[in-house]
């Protein structure tokens, strides 16, 4: 995503439909089948940065000054280490060819105007050619697609699956499909540019107005460039990616992109068939069948063809940027088509409106959505002293019917780094957040490269500023580079604390992908334990179980206070677990060192627990 700002007036409101009345329905088919599966872990890598060994980190530095990572940097050894961390999927972020400031005209690629590019390396969400990949990432730009295809094969050979980006809401202002398959026309090629809207136009237009560059950002920090002249040739002007209808967008708008038209009229009404009542309960096969005889807008067909092109290349799934800015009828159309080609495709959407979660899952046929606004935001508030852990229970219970679909993360390319002063402050303070995030639900877990070694995003990269690892610049990622160790991928330059942190992530993630209980039931035990004065308010506890495994999870969000207390397991849980009166050994599954006993008497359980600051305990009942 380029920014989380969404224009309140205009097209962006058209995707905010009322939620389905299905919150109280039984668990979805995906959740019901989850009991026979295991947890999934996604490893997000910013592809441009992963293999970069250069440590110069000059603000606004060029490739020559700051370096850039390549597809070939993902060696068999690197992929083995990612897999060994406890990972199932690699999300290669920033792969599609996007606008950037570098001369590739020798390869038939036009130069991009720095005045409509963010940073020097460019936003990965201003895609310029959907049928090819970023030339920066190739050793030989002429063979860039072949190099990515080879990476897909290496990833699969390592036992991992591949996710890439699709950004249906917007594309680069200067989109040029130089690699289109035969018969595929560029976006806008057949548009009627004399009108603001027509159903099969790919864009919205501002007739009789030239586009004007916004005031504010200074391209390339003031560096001279022949294309920096205060002008960009776009006539008539198009609506901007975030829905702005100004011919001269604001500097805070997504000015480097243009909004794609999905058949939503400027007044917000729909110019396409709608799904009949009850389709929230239909399978993807039934959704696919519904669309077969329907006339749909041209943009729908273009993006479906793009997705199927990459599926045919071996890509195993997609992460959809700003999915809620596109109507869920389109997602029904596209996702059902993908699933017909690959029923196991992993479809993840960036959606931030909780009222719309069920629509995009059940009507849009998404597998997973970001659990950002609820679980992520709450965990961030807890560690920053703005909220109580008690509120996690309400979130989990409130999403009980869709919790399997709500992907958990604490770090990604959009957010402040977990270890940054603006978030947890230290990698160690992030540990209990990570344990709760990874174990509280059946949903997939995602981590961002460098998170496992404490990367704090401290660099002033140029357009991108500290606390987030820049997605706009050529830059190095220091902690990750120490693990990379000049391409050995053995952690040879890590400090002892960084090695211990990575060991923690490895233990945690590998436990989660093997645990039966984490695909089973959840119940909070926080409320009964909060009645105990010795139970610190910064503790949080819950239980998870399946037929074969019973877990008790306790996390200490305090980075200063050690706690020792009597943990209660209520009779309701003891009954569900079919435990008789007696004593049961509890062994911590993270380090296999902490051990205590669960004593059950008169159908109630108690265990003596001692927990260090920022520590988490995952006890298995033996």
């Amino acid at each position: 995503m380029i920014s989380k700002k969404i224009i309140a007036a205009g097209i962006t409101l058209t995707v905010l439909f009322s939620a389905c009345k299905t919150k109280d329905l039984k668990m979805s088919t995906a959740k019901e089948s989850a009991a026979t599966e295991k947890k999934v872990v996604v490893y997000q890598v910013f592809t441009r940065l992963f293999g970069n060994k250069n440590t110069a980190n000059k603000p606004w530095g060029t490739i020559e000054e700051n370096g850039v990572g390549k597809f070939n940097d993902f060696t068999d050894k690197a992929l083995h280490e990612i897999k060994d961390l406890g990972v199932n999927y690699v999300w290669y972020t920033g792969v599609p060819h996007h606008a950037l400031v570098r001369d590739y005209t020798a390869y038939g690629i036009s130069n991009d105007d720095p005045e409509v590019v963010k940073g020097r390396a460019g936003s990965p969400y201003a895609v310029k050619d959907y049928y090819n990949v970023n030339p920066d990432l190739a050793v030989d730009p002429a063979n860039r697609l072949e190099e990515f295809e080879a990476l897909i094969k290496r990833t699969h050979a390592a036992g991992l699956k591949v996710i890439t980006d699709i950004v249906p809401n917007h594309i680069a202002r200067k989109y040029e499909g130089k690699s289109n398959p035969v018969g595929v026309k560029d976006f806008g090629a057949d548009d009627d540019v004399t009108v603001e809207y027509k159903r099969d136009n790919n864009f919205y237009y501002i007739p009789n107005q030239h586009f004007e560059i916004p005031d504010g950002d200074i391209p390339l920090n003031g560096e001279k460039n022949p294309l920096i002249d205060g002008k960009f040739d776009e006539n008539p002007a198009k609506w901007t990616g975030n829905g702005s209808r100004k011919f001269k967008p604001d500097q805070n708008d997504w000015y480097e992109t243009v909004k794609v038209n999905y058949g939503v009229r400027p007044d917000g009404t729909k110019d396409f068939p709608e799904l009949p009542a009850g389709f929230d309960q239909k399978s993807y096969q039934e959704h696919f069948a519904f669309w077969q005889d329907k006339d749909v807008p041209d943009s729908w067909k273009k993006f479906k063809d793009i997705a199927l092109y990459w599926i045919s290349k071996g890509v195993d799934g997609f992460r959809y940027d700003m999915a809620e800015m596109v109507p869920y009828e389109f997602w029904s159309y596209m996702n059902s088509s993908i699933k017909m080609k690959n029923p196991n495709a992993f479809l993840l959407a960036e959606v931030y409106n909780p009222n719309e979660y069920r629509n995009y899952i059940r009507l849009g046929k998404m597998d997973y959505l970001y659990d950002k606004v609820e679980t992520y935001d709450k965990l961030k508030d807890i560690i920053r002293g703005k909220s109580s852990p008690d509120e996690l229970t309400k979130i989990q219970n409130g999403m009980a019917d869709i919790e399997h679909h709500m992907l958990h993360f604490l770090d990604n390319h959009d957010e402040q780094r977990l270890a940054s002063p603006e978030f947890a402050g230290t990698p160690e303070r992030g540990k209990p957040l990570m344990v709760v995030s990874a174990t509280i639900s059946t949903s997939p877990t995602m981590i961002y490269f460098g998170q496992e070694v404490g990367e704090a995003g401290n660099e002033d990269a140029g357009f991108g500023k500290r606390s987030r690892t820049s997605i706009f610049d050529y830059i190095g990622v220091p902690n990750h580079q120490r693990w990379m160790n000049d391409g050995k991928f053995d952690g040879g330059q890590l400090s002892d604390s960084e090695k211990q942190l990575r060991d923690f992530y490895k233990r945690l993630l590998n436990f989660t992908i093997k645990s039966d209980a984490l695909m089973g039931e959840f119940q909070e035990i926080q409320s009964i334990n909060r009645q105990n004065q010795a139970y610190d308010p910064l503790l949080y506890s819950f239980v998870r179980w399946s037929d074969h495994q019973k877990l008790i999870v306790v996390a200490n969000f305090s980075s200063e206070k050690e706690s020792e207390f009597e943990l209660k397991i209520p009779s309701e849980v003891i009954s569900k677990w079919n435990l008789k009166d007696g004593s049961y050994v509890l062994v911590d599954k993270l380090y296999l060192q902490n051990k205590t006993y669960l004593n059950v008497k008169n159908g109630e359980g108690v265990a003596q627990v001692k927990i260090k600051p920022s520590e988490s305990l995952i006890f298995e009942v033996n």
Side-chain angles (χ1 to χ4, degrees):
M1 191 184 72
I2 302 165
S3 166
K4 290 192 176 63
K5 178 183 176 184
I6 300 178
I7 297 298
I11 195 67
T12 57
L13 288 183
T14 64
V15 299
L16 303 179
F17 307 114
S18 59
C20 299
K21 305 293 185 181
T22 51
K23 186 172 180 179
D24 296 324
L25 292 175
K26 290 184 178 181
M27 294 177 183
S28 64
T29 302
K31 174 64 193 294
E32 289 170 349
S33 66
T36 62
E37 300 170 355
K38 293 292 194 296
K39 286 271 280 189
V40 168
V41 173
V42 178
Y43 189 77
Q44 182 193 5
V45 294
F46 202 80
T47 315
R48 180 202 302 152
L49 305 181
F50 180 85
N52 183 19
K53 303 178 184 69
N54 190 310
T55 59
N57 286 354
K58 175 185 175 183
W60 293 95
T62 63
I63 281 182
E64 291 74 19
E65 292 168 325
N66 282 359
V68 70
K70 305 289 185 180
F71 293 130
N72 286 2
D73 291 321
F74 292 90
T75 62
D76 291 340
K77 169 66 172 173
L79 292 166
H80 171 79
E81 291 299 323
I82 292 172
K83 171 72 172 177
D84 200 43
L85 187 63
V87 171
N88 310 106
Y89 286 82
V90 181
W91 168 16
Y92 291 108
T93 307
V95 166
H97 183 183
H98 59 79
L100 52 87
V101 183
R102 186 165 176 79
D103 190 342
Y104 285 109
T105 53
Y107 302 95
I109 300 168
S110 65
N111 286 326
D112 291 300
D113 190 329
E115 292 159 300
V116 289
V117 175
K118 287 184 175 175
R120 185 186 297 277
S123 167
Y125 298 109
V127 176
K128 179 174 178 169
D129 183 351
Y130 260 115
Y131 287 100
N132 217 318
V133 297
N134 181 358
D136 276 351
L137 304 178
V139 174
D140 179 2
N143 294 320
R144 57 195 184 278
L145 185 57
E146 290 82 357
E147 289 188 28
F148 180 58
E149 290 172 331
L151 174 57
I152 294 174
K153 291 178 182 177
R154 285 199 306 280
T155 306
H156 287 162
L160 295 160
K161 293 187 177 182
V162 173
I163 298 170
T164 59
D165 301 281
I166 291 185
V167 191
N169 178 68
H170 48 269
I171 59 176
R173 289 214 102 93
K174 188 179 181 181
Y175 187 96
E176 291 185 341
K178 298 288 188 179
S179 311
N180 291 351
V182 175
V184 173
K185 292 186 177 181
D186 260 5
F187 286 92
D190 294 331
D191 281 8
D192 178 355
V193 301
T194 66
V195 295
E196 181 180 30
Y197 168 83
K198 184 175 285 188
R199 194 199 73 155
D200 287 312
N201 278 357
N202 296 136
F203 305 119
Y204 299 91
Y205 293 91
I206 309 169
N208 304 314
Q209 291 283 0
H210 284 76
F211 172 80
E212 292 187 14
I213 293 166
D215 298 325
D217 292 327
I218 301 174
L220 301 182
N221 202 35
E223 178 184 315
K224 291 188 180 299
N225 182 290
L227 292 177
I228 299 177
D229 56 4
K231 295 179 290 185
F232 177 75
D233 185 19
E234 182 180 291
N235 183 29
K238 304 180 182 77
W239 287 18
T240 296
N242 60 325
S244 172
R245 306 182 188 191
K246 300 174 183 177
F247 63 88
K248 182 176 182 175
D250 183 82
Q251 71 175 108
N252 294 316
D253 290 325
W254 306 346
Y255 60 80
E256 77 277 31
T257 67
V258 292
K259 175 83 176 172
V260 175
N261 166 26
Y262 282 89
V264 179
R265 302 182 185 93
D267 66 3
T269 57
K270 303 175 186 178
D271 199 359
F272 49 78
E274 296 186 46
L275 291 167
F279 257 67
D280 58 319
Q281 297 298 298
K282 300 289 187 181
S283 67
Y284 72 79
Q285 294 95 334
E286 291 169 298
H287 278 246
F288 179 79
F290 172 79
W291 293 111
Q292 292 314 291
D293 61 351
K294 304 298 186 297
D295 181 27
V296 299
D298 184 71
S299 295
W300 292 31
K301 301 171 188 174
K302 278 185 164 61
F303 269 101
K304 180 197 72 173
D305 290 345
I306 288 164
L308 296 182
Y309 170 84
W310 289 109
I311 289 290
S312 73
K313 295 284 187 187
V315 170
D316 301 291
F318 303 105
R319 181 268 190 185
Y320 298 130
D321 187 83
M322 291 310 296
E324 68 188 290
M325 297 180 76
V326 178
Y328 50 74
E329 288 89 349
F330 160 74
W331 292 117
S332 164
Y333 169 83
M334 181 152 108
N335 288 341
S336 63
S337 296
I338 293 170
K339 290 288 189 179
M340 292 299 290
K341 293 291 185 182
N342 179 4
N344 298 314
F346 186 104
L347 305 178
L348 167 64
E350 182 186 29
V351 174
Y352 296 115
N353 183 354
N355 292 328
E356 291 298 309
Y357 288 167
R358 291 164 181 81
N359 281 338
Y360 282 89
I361 293 166
R362 293 172 176 153
L363 293 173
K365 310 315 290 180
M366 296 294 183
D367 293 320
Y368 306 107
L369 310 180
Y370 273 20
D371 190 357
K372 195 284 182 183
V373 174
E374 307 234 44
T375 302
Y376 169 95
D377 281 353
K378 183 57 60 181
L379 287 168
K380 189 171 186 178
D381 282 348
I382 291 167
I383 206 64
R384 296 172 74 196
K386 296 182 177 182
S387 186
S388 164
D390 298 351
E391 297 177 36
L392 288 166
T393 299
K394 181 180 178 182
I395 290 172
Q396 189 66 14
N397 289 338
M399 290 195 292
D401 61 320
I402 59 168
E403 58 86 35
H404 179 67
H405 301 278
M406 302 305 298
L407 175 135
H408 285 192
F409 64 89
L410 292 170
D411 214 335
N412 68 33
H413 67 285
D414 276 326
E415 306 301 339
Q416 293 172 321
R417 282 288 195 171
L418 175 60
S420 71
E422 293 79 5
F423 195 164
T426 69
E428 288 70 31
R429 293 189 76 224
K431 284 182 175 182
L433 280 69
M434 190 63 218
V435 169
V436 171
S437 179
T439 62
I440 200 169
S441 80
T442 70
S443 69
T445 302
M446 184 173 78
I447 68 167
Y448 191 33
F449 84 114
Q451 178 184 344
E452 72 276 24
V453 289
E455 178 58 42
N458 284 322
E459 286 62 50
D460 177 1
F463 193 90
K465 300 304 179 185
R466 61 147 289 110
S467 84
R468 292 173 175 85
T469 295
S470 176
I471 66 171
F472 307 109
D473 306 288
Y474 301 112
I475 197 71
V477 184
N479 291 44
H480 169 73
Q481 288 174 321
R482 290 195 288 276
W483 171 74
M484 187 169 56
N485 193 20
D486 199 34
K488 296 183 181 69
F489 300 101
D490 61 3
Q493 297 178 35
L494 293 176
S495 67
D496 287 344
S497 63
E498 289 165 348
K499 289 178 181 177
Q500 290 169 10
L501 183 70
R502 194 173 192 278
D503 177 66
F504 160 80
Y505 273 87
K506 185 174 180 177
R507 290 172 181 272
L508 175 62
L509 296 177
N510 274 286
F511 171 74
T512 66
I513 63 175
K514 297 171 184 175
S515 169
D516 288 333
L518 294 183
M519 297 306 287
E521 300 301 319
F522 161 89
Q523 185 166 322
E524 63 91 19
I525 56 172
Q526 181 77 350
S527 55
I528 191 171
N529 283 288
R530 285 285 271 124
Q531 298 171 21
N532 181 356
Q533 290 185 350
Y535 187 87
D536 192 85
L538 286 177
L539 294 170
Y540 186 68
S541 57
F542 55 93
V543 294
R544 301 294 313 278
W545 74 94
S546 65
D547 290 341
H548 308 292
Q549 187 180 43
K550 302 169 183 63
L551 300 177
I552 302 168
V553 182
V554 185
N556 186 2
F557 292 112
S558 173
S559 60
E560 300 175 353
K561 184 177 179 181
E562 180 176 87
S563 288
E564 189 167 3
F565 57 93
E566 186 177 77
L567 182 74
K568 293 184 177 181
I569 308 299
S571 58
E572 181 183 1
V573 173
I574 297 298
S575 175
K576 289 177 180 178
W577 286 0
N578 295 314
L579 296 183
K580 306 299 183 183
D581 284 6
S583 185
Y584 300 84
V585 177
L586 301 182
V587 178
D588 174 43
K589 299 301 289 184
L590 275 183
Y591 291 99
L592 304 177
Q593 293 175 348
N594 296 299
K595 186 173 78 170
T596 188
Y597 296 90
L598 173 64
N599 295 304
V600 179
K601 184 177 180 180
N602 297 325
E604 295 184 341
V606 296
Q608 294 297 320
V609 173
K610 186 175 183 179
I611 188 167
K612 298 173 184 176
S614 298
E615 186 177 37
S616 300
L617 302 169
I618 305 175
F619 287 124
E620 182 175 50
V621 181
N622 292 320

